[in-house]
Amino acid sequence: MGRALAASLLIVAGAVHGPLAQAQSALPMMGDGAEMTSSAERRLGDRIIRELYRDPDYIDDAPLQEYVQDLFQALVRAAQARGELAPELQERFAWQILLGRDRSVNAFALPGGYFGVHLGLIGVVSTRDELASVLAHELSHVTQRHIARLMAQQGRQTPLMLGALVLGALAAAKSPGAAQALMVGGQALAVQNQLNFSRDMEREADRVGFGLMQPAGYAPQGFVAMFDKLQQANRINDNGSWPYLRSHPLTTQRIADMHSRIPPDAAPPAPATLEHLMMGARARVLMRPGVDTWRQWVAEPQDAGFAARPQAQRVPAWYAATLSAVQLADFAAARKSLRALQADVRADPAAARQARLLGAELELAAGDAPAALGHLQDGNAADATRHRPELLLRTQALLRTGAGGEMTAPLQTWLAAHPGDALSWQLLAQAWQQQNQLLRAVRAEAEAQVARYDYAAAVDRFKAGQDLAQRGGAASDHIEASIIDTRLRAVELLLREQAAER
Ligand SMILES: [Zn+2]
C-alpha cells in the first residue's frame, strides 16, 4: 500500500482546493440523484481493495488491526445510534480498516466503507482519542455520502475507469513512469482534480465526526489535540511525511470551529492508556525505521536514569526494545526486555495482555513453540477462541508442534462470524493439512482467495478440490465435495459479474 495509499488520500479523500472544489462550495441536496448507489459504491471499493491486498505494504498485523478496528467500531455504532448512518448503508458497506506499513502520517476513506490507516499515524498520535478523531472524520465522509457524490460527479466514468483512476493515482505516487503505463487514455490526472472534497464537505466531516466522539466513549478534546498536532507539524514540516495535512489543510476556521465545540467546563481528557502507548510503539517498530533505529531502541532502556522515568515512557520503550530485538533476531535481548515490560504492566490487564501476545510472538520468531504457548496460557483460556490475536498465535504455535488440528474447530467458529478473514482461512488450510484432510484444506485455501476478492484464484482452487474428490473416488468426503460444488458455482457467478461490470 505505502505510497499508494498516500496517493489515494489525495485523490479520493483529498481537499486540494482547486477551481473545481471552489465551484462546488454549496453541497448538493441529498436526494437530487447526485450520488452513486451504495451497492455500486461497495463494488467499486471491493475492486480497489482487491488490488491493495496485493500491495506488499499492506499489513495484516493482528494486534494493531484489532486495536484500530475496535476503536473504529465504537464510532460506527455511535453513528448508527445518532442516526448518521442509514441502516441500508451499515448493512451494505464493509466498515473495515486496512493498515499500510507506510511511515507517513495518513488516513483516508475509500469507496464502500473501507478505510486506510498508515502505521505512521498510529505512531504519532498521543492518545486513542486523537486517533479516534481522525477515524471519526473519515467515517463521516462516508456516512454523509461525500464519496458517493464525488464518484457521481465523474458522470459517465465506468466502474472500471473509476477503479483505474484511483489505482493509476496510487501508482503515480510510487514512480512517475509506472503512472504513465496505468493511465486511462491520459485523462487520469485531469480527472483526479475533480475527486476532491469541498471545504464544506470537510467542515461537515469535522462537525459530524466530532459529534460521534463522546457517544463512542472518546474525549472530544481528542479532536482539538489532533488539530494542534497537525498545526505543529504544519509549521515545522513540509517534507511530505504528513500527507494528511495536504489533503486536510488546516484552516483557522476549522480549528476555531473545533475549539468552540468543547464546553469550557469539560473535564480534561484522560492520559493515554498503557495499551495505546504499546500499540504506538508497535507501529513505530513495524514501519521499518531501519536497523540502526531498531538497535537504538533495543539499547534505550540501558540509558542512565531510565528507571526513574515515568511509567508512560518506560512501557512503550520496553515494548519497542523487545519488538526491535525480535526484528534483529536477538532473542536473548528480546526476552530480557519482555521480562521488564511484564513486570511494569502487571497491574494493567489490557497492557499485560499485550505483553503476553508480544511474548508469544517473540517465542514463535525464536522457534520455541512450547514457550509461545506458555505465554498464551497465562491469559484467560477463553481469549484463545474469542480474540483474533490469541487465535492466530495459538494456531501458529500448534502448527509448529504438529498439533494444528486442535485449532480446526475454533478457527471454523471464528470464520463463521468473520468469513472475510483471509489469514484465518489460510491457517485453517494448514491445520486441515496437518489432519490429512486435504479436501478441506483446498477449500479453505479457496475461501482465503474469496476473502481477498480474487475470485479467479478461488475458482482455480475449488476446481483443484473437485479433481481431488474425483481421484479419491468412494473414499473421499462426499459432504465436503458437495460443499465445494456449491461454492464453485456461487464464486463462478461472482467472477462473471465482476468481469461483466466494466
Ligand atoms: Zn476530510
Side-chain angles (χ1 to χ4, degrees), residues 137 141 202 248:
H137 174 102
H141 276 314
E202 289 304 337
H248 290 84

Side-chain angles (χ1 to χ4, degrees), residues 9 13-15 107 137-138 141 146 197-198 201-203 205-206 244 247-248 254:
L9 172 67
H137 174 102
E138 296 305 321
H141 276 314
H146 294 166
F197 292 140
S198 68
M201 286 175 171
E202 289 304 337
R203 275 204 296 275
D206 282 345
Y244 197 76
S247 59
H248 290 84
R254 277 188 84 197

Side-chain angles (χ1 to χ4, degrees), residues 201-351:
M201 286 175 171
E202 289 304 337
R203 275 204 296 275
E204 188 174 45
D206 282 345
R207 178 181 60 76
V208 174
F210 184 89
L212 301 178
M213 292 288 283
Q214 202 146 30
Y218 304 118
Q221 291 96 327
F223 242 97
V224 172
M226 192 67 212
F227 276 19
D228 289 347
K229 185 159 273 172
L230 289 167
Q231 198 174 23
Q232 241 173 5
N234 210 11
R235 273 201 294 268
I236 57 173
N237 186 314
D238 59 354
N239 62 9
S241 65
W242 289 67
Y244 197 76
L245 269 169
R246 255 183 285 144
S247 59
H248 290 84
L250 275 176
T251 59
T252 43
Q253 187 182 6
R254 277 188 84 197
I255 296 170
D257 272 1
M258 281 306 111
H259 276 282
S260 71
R261 285 175 200 277
I262 304 283
D265 56 348
T273 62
L274 291 179
E275 185 182 33
H276 178 84
L277 297 170
M278 293 162 92
M279 291 297 97
R282 183 173 184 84
R284 290 190 292 276
V285 173
L286 294 185
M287 65 176 89
R288 295 200 188 111
V291 168
D292 291 341
T293 306
W294 280 337
R295 286 197 184 120
Q296 276 169 26
W297 287 341
V298 171
E300 190 182 332
Q302 317 309 324
D303 288 356
F306 180 83
R309 290 192 207 164
Q311 187 190 30
Q313 289 179 19
R314 287 193 315 263
V315 166
W318 284 126
Y319 192 101
T322 307
L323 190 56
S324 297
V326 171
Q327 308 299 311
L328 295 165
D330 183 349
F331 301 117
R335 289 186 182 111
K336 199 169 153 228
S337 299
L338 180 75
R339 280 193 293 274
L341 175 67
Q342 285 175 313
D344 222 349
V345 299
R346 196 167 287 139
D348 180 323

Side-chain angles (χ1 to χ4, degrees), residues 74-86 90 139 143 208 212 215:
L75 293 164
V76 174
R77 285 193 298 272
Q80 182 195 28
R82 287 170 63 86
E84 300 287 0
L85 173 51
Q90 171 152 32
L139 171 62
T143 60
V208 174
L212 301 178

Side-chain angles (χ1 to χ4, degrees), residues 108-123:
F108 50 89
L110 288 165
Y114 294 103
F115 299 82
V117 173
H118 285 181
L119 296 193
L121 174 67
I122 305 171

Side-chain angles (χ1 to χ4, degrees), residues 123-140:
V124 299
V125 289
S126 307
T127 62
R128 60 181 208 139
D129 305 307
E130 289 178 16
L131 183 53
S133 77
V134 175
L135 297 176
H137 174 102
E138 296 305 321
L139 171 62
S140 301

